[in-house]
Amino acid sequence: MHDFTYHAASSVADAAAKVAGGEDAVLMAGGMTLLPTLKQRLAQPSDVVDLSGVADLRGIRVEGGAVTVGAMTVHDAVANSPEVAAAIPALAALAGHIGDPQVRNRGTIGGSIANNDPAADYPAALVGLGATVCTDRREIAADEFFTGMFETALDEGEIVTSVRFPAPAAAAYMKFPNPASRYAIVGVFVARTTGGVRVAVTGAASCVYRESAMEAALEGGFSASALDGMTASADDLNEDIHASAEYRAHLVGVMARRAVAACG
Amino acid sequence: MPTVNMNVNGEAVSGEVEARTLLVQFLREKLRLTGTHVGCDTSQCGACVVHVDGVSAKSCTMLAVQCEGADVTTIEGLADGDALHPMQEAFRDNHGLQCGFCTPGMIMSALDLARRNSAPSEQEVREWLEGNICRCTGYHNIVKSIMAGARAMAAGQGG
Ligand SMILES: Cc1cc2nc3c(=O)[nH]c(=O)nc-3n(C[C@H](O)[C@H](O)[C@H](O)COP(=O)(O)OP(=O)(O)OC[C@H]3O[C@@H](n4cnc5c(N)ncnc54)[C@H](O)[C@@H]3O)c2cc1C
Ligand code: FES
Ligand code: FES
């Protein structure tokens, strides 16, 4: 790891100022992705601005049928929150199956979505539930937030402050995990929301996306059998040592049916 | 160079570090607490697990400067003089180690589970160990040790 200047931010405004003030500054949340990246020298920032001392960014609020999770809230806190378990149990379950306990003790929702790993779990929940990402500058709908592989709609220096999830009528997430890392080889988040049925897929392609054909089939009748025989198109899916594009396409159908069945 | 101050195993320590110095490097190289191991240095194996403010964390994936003012506990901080901690005793009684390389991380991780769940089932222990890799034992006796250790702690033999 190359050396850098470390700053502990005291507030969101302080963090924004420190990022703007550095030549090539980066934000750090839990460091679960950033530090491995720096160790591999894939990035060489001049300054690292640590958000962990910003108390406002931590915590979970449930009000008016929505769950708001602060950007610095760790996965373990979401997984074990009675409020989240009551309002959106699928979200608590998803957080409880990210990585391992030590990753969940430090990894945050803000870091996970800002990073937008194609195999990460949270992007599926945000898109599946039609969540809103709140930043220090604006609000961004999840459908517009995840723009490509490791890419988001965030501008230079923009800080995620929280994510607001509307509570659905029913929702479930099913993932086929990589047995070593627990990242999703394929994960499918299905939700019945006031805006209709949403089916979000992670792990399969370069970025989280919605399976519109499956959404349409489920609008016609919300049951696993509505998806009988359906798979994703393998055309643009990932292919690597873990799974071929065809296998991922098949898994999208299997995980989607299991998620629908789990919605009850 | 930044100076960092923290409590390690109940003692106030401070030292000059580079911003990039990892917590595990600070513990092993500055404080000579070599019980915390580095198995992978890529956040996968859990040999480096310590407690930071009572919660288990991979010390290879934290900066020393992030621990300013924190309470850090390592494997060296568990025994009371010559008396092993009940979780350490359970690993000895149940043959929960072979080469011992993974053991400090296993025990520190196990204590975080025992804190949340005083009577974990075999399944719960196996799921908890997702982030701890052992190349020797096949895990069977590690799982037995952790179940026994958690029970011993709950029975009030320390902890
Ligand atoms: C062994 C291992 C296994 C894992 N398994 C899984 C898994 O199964 N599923 C899964 O989804 N994830 C997994 N992860 C990733 C983990 O869940 C973390 O969420 C992820 O590493 C990023 O979160 P972080 O808080 O550590 O962010 P950091 O690493 O600190 O930051 C990541 C990026 O986000 C930026 N950033 C952070 N916070 C903000 C913010 N508030 N606003 C704007 N930008 C920000 C940083 O600048 C950086 O570029 C795994 C990680 C490890 C090490
Ligand atoms: S050395 Fe830290 S996880 Fe392997
Ligand atoms: S006892 Fe040798 S690695 Fe676990």
Side-chain angles (χ1 to χ4, degrees), chain A residues 201-243:
Chain A
V201 179
T202 190
S206 59
C207 181
V208 61
Y209 72 96
R210 287 170 65 184
E211 267 298 339
S212 38
M214 291 187 182
E215 291 178 352
L218 291 167
E219 290 290 0
F222 193 86
S223 75
S225 59
L227 302 181
D228 274 350
M230 291 182 83
T231 62
S233 155
D235 283 351
D236 291 315
L237 296 194
N238 301 333
E239 179 142 304
D240 54 29
I241 53 166
H242 307 300

Side-chain angles (χ1 to χ4, degrees), chain A residues 139-236:
Chain A
E139 298 198 344
I140 310 169
D143 282 336
E144 270 88 60
F145 183 81
F146 301 101
T147 52
M149 188 164 171
F150 295 109
E151 287 190 3
T152 67
L154 290 173
D155 287 330
E156 197 73 28
E158 188 169 6
I159 301 175
V160 176
T161 52
S162 65
V163 181
R164 194 170 63 238
F165 296 93
Y173 177 63
M174 286 289 150
K175 117 163 129 170
F176 191 87
N178 175 316
S181 74
R182 302 284 145 175
Y183 272 105
I185 287 178
V186 167
V188 180
F189 198 105
V190 173
R192 296 172 72 179
T193 74
T194 45
V197 177
R198 298 172 72 98
V199 178
V201 179
T202 190
S206 59
C207 181
V208 61
Y209 72 96
R210 287 170 65 184
E211 267 298 339
S212 38
M214 291 187 182
E215 291 178 352
L218 291 167
E219 290 290 0
F222 193 86
S223 75
S225 59
L227 302 181
D228 274 350
M230 291 182 83
T231 62
S233 155
D235 283 351
D236 291 315

Side-chain angles (χ1 to χ4, degrees), chain A residues 39, chain B residues 24 37-49 58-61 131:
Chain A
K39 282 186 188 179
Chain B
V24 70
H37 293 166
V38 177
C40 65
D41 199 28
T42 55
S43 325
Q44 318 279 327
C45 76
C48 65
V49 171
K58 295 179 187 184
S59 62
C60 76
T61 316

Side-chain angles (χ1 to χ4, degrees), chain A residues 22-197:
Chain A
E23 197 182 310
D24 179 19
V26 291
L27 293 165
M28 177 163 72
M32 290 294 111
T33 292
L34 183 69
L35 292 175
T37 309
L38 298 187
K39 282 186 188 179
Q40 292 179 63
R41 301 191 171 180
L42 295 173
Q44 195 175 335
S46 58
D47 299 79
V48 171
V49 180
D50 186 356
L51 292 171
S52 56
V54 184
D56 295 354
L57 292 180
R58 228 173 263 277
I60 296 165
R61 252 190 5 255
V62 181
E63 55 193 13
V67 176
T68 303
V69 182
M72 286 299 293
T73 310
V74 297
H75 309 328
D76 184 66
V78 175
N80 291 308
S81 156
E83 292 86 2
V84 177
I88 316 180
L91 185 62
L94 174 145
H97 288 96
I98 294 175
D100 59 52
Q102 288 72 39
V103 167
R104 295 195 289 273
N105 280 344
R106 295 203 60 79
T108 67
I109 188 168
S112 176
I113 64 168
N115 190 52
N116 193 18
D117 190 301
D121 295 303
Y122 267 129
L126 268 72
V127 173
L129 291 165
T132 302
V133 179
C134 306
T135 78
D136 58 339
R137 301 177 195 174
R138 57 188 167 142
E139 298 198 344
I140 310 169
D143 282 336
E144 270 88 60
F145 183 81
F146 301 101
T147 52
M149 188 164 171
F150 295 109
E151 287 190 3
T152 67
L154 290 173
D155 287 330
E156 197 73 28
E158 188 169 6
I159 301 175
V160 176
T161 52
S162 65
V163 181
R164 194 170 63 238
F165 296 93
Y173 177 63
M174 286 289 150
K175 117 163 129 170
F176 191 87
N178 175 316
S181 74
R182 302 284 145 175
Y183 272 105
I185 287 178
V186 167
V188 180
F189 198 105
V190 173
R192 296 172 72 179
T193 74
T194 45
V197 177

